Amino acid sequence: MMRKTTTSEPGREIFHLILIVPARYDEEGYPLQWWRSCMPANSLATLNGLGRDCRDRQVLGPNVDIRITAIDETNHIVKARQLIGMIRRDGGKGLIAMVGVQSNQFPRSLDLAQPFVAAGVPVCIGGFHVSGIMATLKEPTPDMQAAIEQGIGFFLGEAEEGRLDQVLKDAYAGPLQPMYNYLENLPEIAGAPIPILAEEDIRRTIGWISSFDVGRGCPYQCSFCTIINVHGRKSRFRTKEDLEKIIRENNDQGIRQFFVTDDNLARNKNWPELLDGLIELQQRMGIKLELSIQVDTRCHQVPNFIPKAVEAGTKIVFVGLENINPDNLKAAGKAQNRITDYREMLLEWKKYPVAISAGYIVGFPFDTKESLKRDVEIIKRELPVDHIYFTQLTPLPGSADHARLYTSGEWLDPDFNRYNTNYRVTHHPVMSDEDWDEAYLHMWHSYYSWDHMTTILKRAHALGGDILKTRMYVGWYHHFPVNLGIHPVEGGLLRLPARTQRRPGLPRENPLIFYPRYVYREIRDIFTFWRVVRRLRAIDQAIAADPERLEYRDAAITPATETDYENLGLYQTTRGGMDAVAKAAARAAAQAKLRRTHTRPAA
């Protein structure tokens, strides 16, 4: 659906800034698109906010009207001919900006660019893929070089501090530069234009959820992470005033659910001020926010963080457990994760009606098919996680892992479309390809078995959790990977049929074949999901009818005791588990000694 445009004032030119977050191709070569998508695109909100600022400052001059169109292709079919026609009808000036392009979206971004390049409309591509490539490899890959030769520009780094201005001026006056490289100069984001999307864009997500960040940068050195090479290791923060403006402008549109994209909100040095500001703002405005935040495994050691985050509106917390084998965490440079913290941290969150989501990476060097199958049983039995999503260890461009494999000449899947962490794109040092794939699928099927989903709901009832959210999420995380083979964060409601936009090189299907198959699959998938929802509701109702439901306990939700180290598989059967226990005991002894020293009375 195209937005209606208004006639420009006499004597004023029109410049169209069209922001597009590309989708990726599915296994049949069609863009993975939904009527309602799952995850909001924070990069789109960020660039839309920066674009509005450029418009308001009249960076192309007082006689140029900058009109912004924001498109998330995961919930919107991009109709290039209509967009080109709109630009030509309004004078021929515009820019197609592919924003937030991840590696799995990069092939699609190049294909999307072709009709615009052919029509003479400038195209610029930014995001983690191209920024990560240049940050670690220092030179463009062959596909990037080919795009540069077509006249496509690349934006590297972040666009605050007026950096978008130059791209717009170049697109307005003439050719784009091959690269706009700001990787070595990280901008401050305090006081920067806020990330914001229009209501009509937000309502294309399930639950009308938007997103924002209040901090960027990460001090850690995880080898699989791209953030440290794109956003840098220096932490930068928005202000309390910035956050209030974000909430107020979204609230004016009726938006009160947000995904906070900071990788670790607990390490934001301004978190007390920010969370207090959210609490006070909600009280003054008479509203209730629902926040999904991300934290690390030691957030419970930050005094008062968890209760303050809950008071501010946190309903879902994501924790990057990554693995329960200390040897794997060490190999990945994830030294900040200590398995001896996991249960204590998760149980601290479980004191509140917050749904816990966790990330778990499959394919670390010390993983085997047998150890992974054992590990998922330990997680199910001993860790109170509501829903977990498994990902394949993926050497994403921009990470130290990718740079090492790329420069060494080891095999990497040449199709970036598969780099969405749901596919194996390299070889494992121990497991065969078949064992790796089998173990990955097994973890999904085992965790989201009907028996374990029943256990998760029993825990939620016993601890006074958010039953509706828990039921909704376990159903979603069961349906997409188990029934459809799609990662749940890429799921959505009702596929959009883009028959004519199949990946180049694949034949265009006859509409008499394509559309009947599309209708059949949608009816089948809707019916399958309905059966999942109905069965979970029946299980939930049976638990709710049990008068002893509040007395339910299992190992995962039993408070930690001194005997855990001796009795739990988390410590006794994982590689490095006993060594982690010994280190935890040594730390505790050192801390006790330090406390005794400080409290010893003077002679």
mmCIF file of all heavy atoms in Angstrom, residues 302-321:
data_model
loop_
_atom_site.group_PDB
_atom_site.id
_atom_site.type_symbol
_atom_site.label_atom_id
_atom_site.label_comp_id
_atom_site.label_asym_id
_atom_site.label_seq_id
_atom_site.Cartn_x
_atom_site.Cartn_y
_atom_site.Cartn_z
ATOM 1 N N VAL A 302 23.778 -6.215 40.294
ATOM 2 C CA VAL A 302 23.673 -4.756 40.290
ATOM 3 C C VAL A 302 22.568 -4.385 41.283
ATOM 4 O O VAL A 302 21.400 -4.671 41.028
ATOM 5 C CB VAL A 302 23.333 -4.227 38.881
ATOM 6 C CG1 VAL A 302 23.215 -2.700 38.895
ATOM 7 C CG2 VAL A 302 24.386 -4.684 37.875
ATOM 8 N N PRO A 303 22.911 -3.779 42.407
ATOM 9 C CA PRO A 303 21.902 -3.543 43.451
ATOM 10 C C PRO A 303 20.680 -2.789 42.935
ATOM 11 O O PRO A 303 20.799 -1.756 42.295
ATOM 12 C CB PRO A 303 22.679 -2.707 44.490
ATOM 13 C CG PRO A 303 24.111 -3.079 44.279
ATOM 14 C CD PRO A 303 24.246 -3.309 42.802
ATOM 15 N N ASN A 304 19.510 -3.376 43.205
ATOM 16 C CA ASN A 304 18.207 -2.773 42.934
ATOM 17 C C ASN A 304 17.848 -2.694 41.460
ATOM 18 O O ASN A 304 16.786 -2.161 41.102
ATOM 19 C CB ASN A 304 18.112 -1.365 43.556
ATOM 20 C CG ASN A 304 16.689 -0.974 43.873
ATOM 21 O OD1 ASN A 304 15.892 -1.806 44.310
ATOM 22 N ND2 ASN A 304 16.347 0.292 43.655
ATOM 23 N N PHE A 305 18.677 -3.237 40.582
ATOM 24 C CA PHE A 305 18.358 -3.129 39.153
ATOM 25 C C PHE A 305 17.079 -3.886 38.807
ATOM 26 O O PHE A 305 16.190 -3.355 38.126
ATOM 27 C CB PHE A 305 19.509 -3.636 38.277
ATOM 28 C CG PHE A 305 19.144 -3.695 36.811
ATOM 29 C CD1 PHE A 305 19.106 -2.542 36.046
ATOM 30 C CD2 PHE A 305 18.780 -4.899 36.210
ATOM 31 C CE1 PHE A 305 18.734 -2.589 34.706
ATOM 32 C CE2 PHE A 305 18.416 -4.960 34.876
ATOM 33 C CZ PHE A 305 18.392 -3.793 34.127
ATOM 34 N N ILE A 306 16.980 -5.136 39.228
ATOM 35 C CA ILE A 306 15.842 -5.961 38.822
ATOM 36 C C ILE A 306 14.512 -5.393 39.321
ATOM 37 O O ILE A 306 13.584 -5.205 38.515
ATOM 38 C CB ILE A 306 16.043 -7.430 39.249
ATOM 39 C CG1 ILE A 306 17.177 -8.055 38.420
ATOM 40 C CG2 ILE A 306 14.751 -8.235 39.083
ATOM 41 C CD1 ILE A 306 17.495 -9.499 38.786
ATOM 42 N N PRO A 307 14.367 -5.093 40.610
ATOM 43 C CA PRO A 307 13.068 -4.529 41.036
ATOM 44 C C PRO A 307 12.749 -3.200 40.365
ATOM 45 O O PRO A 307 11.588 -2.922 40.055
ATOM 46 C CB PRO A 307 13.221 -4.371 42.554
ATOM 47 C CG PRO A 307 14.672 -4.462 42.832
ATOM 48 C CD PRO A 307 15.251 -5.331 41.765
ATOM 49 N N LYS A 308 13.776 -2.388 40.116
ATOM 50 C CA LYS A 308 13.534 -1.092 39.461
ATOM 51 C C LYS A 308 13.098 -1.314 38.007
ATOM 52 O O LYS A 308 12.197 -0.620 37.504
ATOM 53 C CB LYS A 308 14.795 -0.241 39.511
ATOM 54 C CG LYS A 308 14.613 1.181 39.028
ATOM 55 C CD LYS A 308 13.864 2.026 40.032
ATOM 56 C CE LYS A 308 14.711 2.331 41.236
ATOM 57 N NZ LYS A 308 14.050 3.281 42.156
ATOM 58 N N ALA A 309 13.718 -2.272 37.327
ATOM 59 C CA ALA A 309 13.349 -2.553 35.937
ATOM 60 C C ALA A 309 11.905 -3.047 35.856
ATOM 61 O O ALA A 309 11.162 -2.683 34.937
ATOM 62 C CB ALA A 309 14.295 -3.589 35.339
ATOM 63 N N VAL A 310 11.499 -3.876 36.812
ATOM 64 C CA VAL A 310 10.127 -4.375 36.832
ATOM 65 C C VAL A 310 9.150 -3.238 37.095
ATOM 66 O O VAL A 310 8.109 -3.112 36.440
ATOM 67 C CB VAL A 310 9.972 -5.485 37.893
ATOM 68 C CG1 VAL A 310 8.510 -5.904 38.013
ATOM 69 C CG2 VAL A 310 10.839 -6.686 37.535
ATOM 70 N N GLU A 311 9.483 -2.369 38.032
ATOM 71 C CA GLU A 311 8.620 -1.228 38.344
ATOM 72 C C GLU A 311 8.476 -0.299 37.136
ATOM 73 O O GLU A 311 7.420 0.302 36.925
ATOM 74 C CB GLU A 311 9.181 -0.457 39.537
ATOM 75 C CG GLU A 311 8.241 0.615 40.066
ATOM 76 C CD GLU A 311 8.810 1.353 41.266
ATOM 77 O OE1 GLU A 311 9.946 1.029 41.693
ATOM 78 O OE2 GLU A 311 8.131 2.281 41.775
ATOM 79 N N ALA A 312 9.533 -0.216 36.324
ATOM 80 C CA ALA A 312 9.499 0.655 35.152
ATOM 81 C C ALA A 312 8.666 0.076 34.015
ATOM 82 O O ALA A 312 8.367 0.786 33.046
ATOM 83 C CB ALA A 312 10.912 0.935 34.662
ATOM 84 N N GLY A 313 8.285 -1.208 34.109
ATOM 85 C CA GLY A 313 7.412 -1.782 33.089
ATOM 86 C C GLY A 313 7.953 -3.001 32.379
ATOM 87 O O GLY A 313 7.362 -3.456 31.395
ATOM 88 N N THR A 314 9.072 -3.568 32.842
ATOM 89 C CA THR A 314 9.641 -4.737 32.172
ATOM 90 C C THR A 314 8.711 -5.933 32.299
ATOM 91 O O THR A 314 8.339 -6.339 33.404
ATOM 92 C CB THR A 314 11.019 -5.087 32.763
ATOM 93 O OG1 THR A 314 11.911 -3.993 32.537
ATOM 94 C CG2 THR A 314 11.579 -6.343 32.124
ATOM 95 N N LYS A 315 8.328 -6.487 31.164
ATOM 96 C CA LYS A 315 7.470 -7.670 31.115
ATOM 97 C C LYS A 315 8.205 -8.888 30.571
ATOM 98 O O LYS A 315 7.849 -10.022 30.858
ATOM 99 C CB LYS A 315 6.235 -7.404 30.250
ATOM 100 C CG LYS A 315 5.342 -6.289 30.783
ATOM 101 C CD LYS A 315 4.771 -6.616 32.146
ATOM 102 C CE LYS A 315 3.828 -5.514 32.628
ATOM 103 N NZ LYS A 315 3.329 -5.793 34.004
ATOM 104 N N ILE A 316 9.199 -8.630 29.714
ATOM 105 C CA ILE A 316 10.003 -9.720 29.146
ATOM 106 C C ILE A 316 11.467 -9.338 29.273
ATOM 107 O O ILE A 316 11.859 -8.211 28.965
ATOM 108 C CB ILE A 316 9.662 -9.964 27.660
ATOM 109 C CG1 ILE A 316 8.187 -10.328 27.496
ATOM 110 C CG2 ILE A 316 10.545 -11.060 27.072
ATOM 111 C CD1 ILE A 316 7.738 -10.399 26.048
ATOM 112 N N VAL A 317 12.278 -10.266 29.755
ATOM 113 C CA VAL A 317 13.714 -10.018 29.861
ATOM 114 C C VAL A 317 14.440 -11.086 29.059
ATOM 115 O O VAL A 317 14.140 -12.274 29.153
ATOM 116 C CB VAL A 317 14.182 -10.006 31.337
ATOM 117 C CG1 VAL A 317 13.862 -11.310 32.034
ATOM 118 C CG2 VAL A 317 15.668 -9.696 31.430
ATOM 119 N N PHE A 318 15.361 -10.632 28.213
ATOM 120 C CA PHE A 318 16.161 -11.558 27.415
ATOM 121 C C PHE A 318 17.554 -11.641 28.018
ATOM 122 O O PHE A 318 18.196 -10.627 28.282
ATOM 123 C CB PHE A 318 16.267 -11.099 25.960
ATOM 124 C CG PHE A 318 17.246 -11.924 25.164
ATOM 125 C CD1 PHE A 318 16.858 -13.141 24.626
ATOM 126 C CD2 PHE A 318 18.551 -11.500 24.977
ATOM 127 C CE1 PHE A 318 17.758 -13.919 23.920
ATOM 128 C CE2 PHE A 318 19.459 -12.268 24.266
ATOM 129 C CZ PHE A 318 19.064 -13.486 23.732
ATOM 130 N N VAL A 319 18.017 -12.881 28.215
ATOM 131 C CA VAL A 319 19.342 -13.127 28.786
ATOM 132 C C VAL A 319 20.138 -13.989 27.809
ATOM 133 O O VAL A 319 19.660 -15.052 27.386
ATOM 134 C CB VAL A 319 19.237 -13.852 30.136
ATOM 135 C CG1 VAL A 319 20.621 -13.986 30.767
ATOM 136 C CG2 VAL A 319 18.295 -13.118 31.081
ATOM 137 N N GLY A 320 21.308 -13.548 27.460
ATOM 138 C CA GLY A 320 22.172 -14.337 26.579
ATOM 139 C C GLY A 320 22.961 -15.359 27.366
ATOM 140 O O GLY A 320 24.125 -15.130 27.700
ATOM 141 N N LEU A 321 22.331 -16.498 27.685
ATOM 142 C CA LEU A 321 23.080 -17.564 28.362
ATOM 143 C C LEU A 321 24.205 -18.062 27.473
ATOM 144 O O LEU A 321 25.294 -18.363 27.923
ATOM 145 C CB LEU A 321 22.150 -18.734 28.713
ATOM 146 C CG LEU A 321 21.003 -18.470 29.682
ATOM 147 C CD1 LEU A 321 20.213 -19.760 29.905
ATOM 148 C CD2 LEU A 321 21.496 -17.924 31.007
#
